[in-house]
Amino acid sequence: MFSGSIPALVTPFRDGAFDAPAFKRLVDWQVGEGTSALVPCGTTGESPTLGFEEHYQVIDTCLEAAAGRVPVIAGCGSNDTATAIRHMRHAQAAGAAAALIVAPYYNKPSQAGILAHYQALADASDLPIVVYNVPGRTVADISAETMCKLADIPSVVAVKDASGDLARVTEHRAGAGRDFCQLSGNDDLWLPHAVLGGFGCISVTANVAPRLCADFAAACAAGDWTKALALHDRLFALHQAMFSDSSPAPAKYALSRLHDWFSPEVRLPIIPASAASRTAVDAALSAAGVI
C-alpha cells in the first residue's frame, strides 16, 4: 500500500506554539522533492508533547498542505487504546490514508495484550493501520509471530519495523506473505531491509535530505543496488547525525541550517541539539552534499 521515502515529519514550533506556516512550507518542499507519503504526529513529530487539539491541528494542516498529492499516514498511537481510537476517528474523518499505530508503551502488555489492542482499533475504525514496532522506545516488542497474526486483520496493511532485527523481514514475509507492506523504521538499515524485501522507509533523514532519500528509494525499487549502495554511503553520516542527540533536535537543527523559515525549537523534555551534535550534523550535511 505504501512504498518509497516517507518522512516521519518534525513538528515546527515557534515561541512555544505550533508553527503552521512553516509546517505547510515543509510539506510542500517534501512533496516537490519526491517524497512518496507523509507521517505527521509520529515520535519524530514530538507527539507525546502535543495536546489533543494541537495533535489534530498538525494532522489537518498536513492534509491541507499535501492537498492529495501524496498519502498522509497520521500518527495515532497511544498506550491508551481509547485515546488511539479517538485519534484514528479524527484522522479518518479528516481524510488520512492510514494511521501509524505504535505498540503500547510503558504499560508493557503481553503479546496477547498487543493483539487485543490492535484488534480493538480495527473493530472501532476501518482506517488502514501501519503497525509501528520500536521496542527501544516502547519496551514492548511485537514478536514476528504476533506481527504475522496482526497481518491477518484486514485493516492492518503495513509495519514500520524499528526493532533493528533484520531477520524479522524474512520472518514476516514467511508468515504474512510477500505482499505485506514492510517499511524500515531505521534509516541506517534501510538498504539491507530493502534487499531482504522491504518496500521503503519511514525516515528521519528524509526530513533533511528528501531528494536523496527519494532517489535512494527509487534505486532500491529498481534493483539498482550499485546506485543504492553509493547513495547509502553518501547518506550514512547523516543517518547517524540525526541521532547524535535526542531526536528530533538534530533534525530540527539541520532544517534550520537549510531553511531560514524553520526554527530549531523543540519542547521539553527534549532540549536543543548540543554543540557536539550540531558539529556532527554540519559535517554530515556537507558530506552528503546537502549544503
Side-chain angles (χ1 to χ4, degrees):
M1 186 170 183
F2 302 105
S3 62
S5 177
I6 306 171
L9 293 170
V10 298
T11 302
F13 300 122
R14 193 172 292 273
D15 300 324
F18 169 51
D19 188 348
F23 194 53
K24 290 178 181 178
R25 294 181 75 169
L26 177 64
V27 168
D28 196 57
W29 178 59
Q30 285 286 338
V31 174
E33 292 291 288
T35 285
S36 59
L38 299 164
V39 177
C41 296
T43 309
T44 309
E46 295 173 85
S47 57
T49 72
L50 301 175
F52 280 106
E53 294 311 312
E54 202 171 34
H55 189 118
Y56 301 151
Q57 184 185 6
V58 173
I59 292 172
D60 293 348
T61 302
C62 187
L63 284 160
E64 178 187 349
R69 292 175 290 173
V70 297
V72 172
I73 305 167
C76 294
S78 175
N79 64 336
D80 169 24
T81 304
T83 294
I85 290 171
R86 175 176 172 176
H87 290 341
M88 287 180 70
R89 286 176 173 161
H90 178 91
Q92 184 168 19
L100 180 70
I101 305 288
V102 70
Y105 41 86
Y106 190 79
N107 310 43
K108 295 181 68 175
S110 65
Q111 296 300 300
I114 290 170
L115 277 167
H117 174 74
Y118 284 99
Q119 186 64 63
L121 302 184
D123 290 343
S125 170
D126 58 4
L127 186 66
I129 293 171
V130 179
V131 176
Y132 181 18
N133 188 31
V134 56
R137 288 184 179 270
T138 64
V139 180
D141 184 14
I142 304 175
S143 71
E145 180 182 5
T146 298
M147 186 64 67
C148 295
K149 291 177 181 177
L150 289 172
D152 287 334
I153 299 172
S155 60
V156 172
V157 299
V159 57
K160 174 188 178 183
D161 194 317
S163 68
D165 181 2
L166 288 168
R168 299 282 177 97
V169 186
T170 303
E171 291 172 332
H172 295 161
R173 278 164 60 84
R178 294 189 176 190
D179 293 332
F180 182 61
C181 180
Q182 296 195 62
L183 302 168
S184 177
N186 296 96
D187 283 285
D188 58 346
L189 297 179
W190 187 350
L191 177 57
H193 189 277
V195 170
L196 289 166
F199 288 79
C201 181
I202 296 180
S203 164
V204 177
T205 304
N207 277 283
V208 176
R211 174 57 63 185
L212 285 175
C213 287
D215 289 347
F216 173 78
C220 291
D224 187 347
W225 302 116
T226 299
K227 181 177 181 180
L229 181 58
L231 286 166
H232 168 81
D233 289 345
R234 183 174 171 185
L235 284 163
F236 192 72
L238 199 53
H239 295 333
Q240 293 183 310
M242 291 300 95
F243 294 92
S244 57
D245 218 332
S246 295
S247 181
K252 284 190 160 184
Y253 168 71
L255 281 165
S256 75
R257 294 276 285 112
L258 297 173
H259 303 293
D260 59 9
W261 43 263
F262 193 94
S263 167
E265 185 176 332
V266 290
R267 279 186 175 171
L268 288 172
I270 303 300
I271 60 173
S274 65
S277 176
R278 295 194 302 271
T279 297
V281 169
D282 287 341
L285 289 171
S286 180
V290 178
I291 57 172

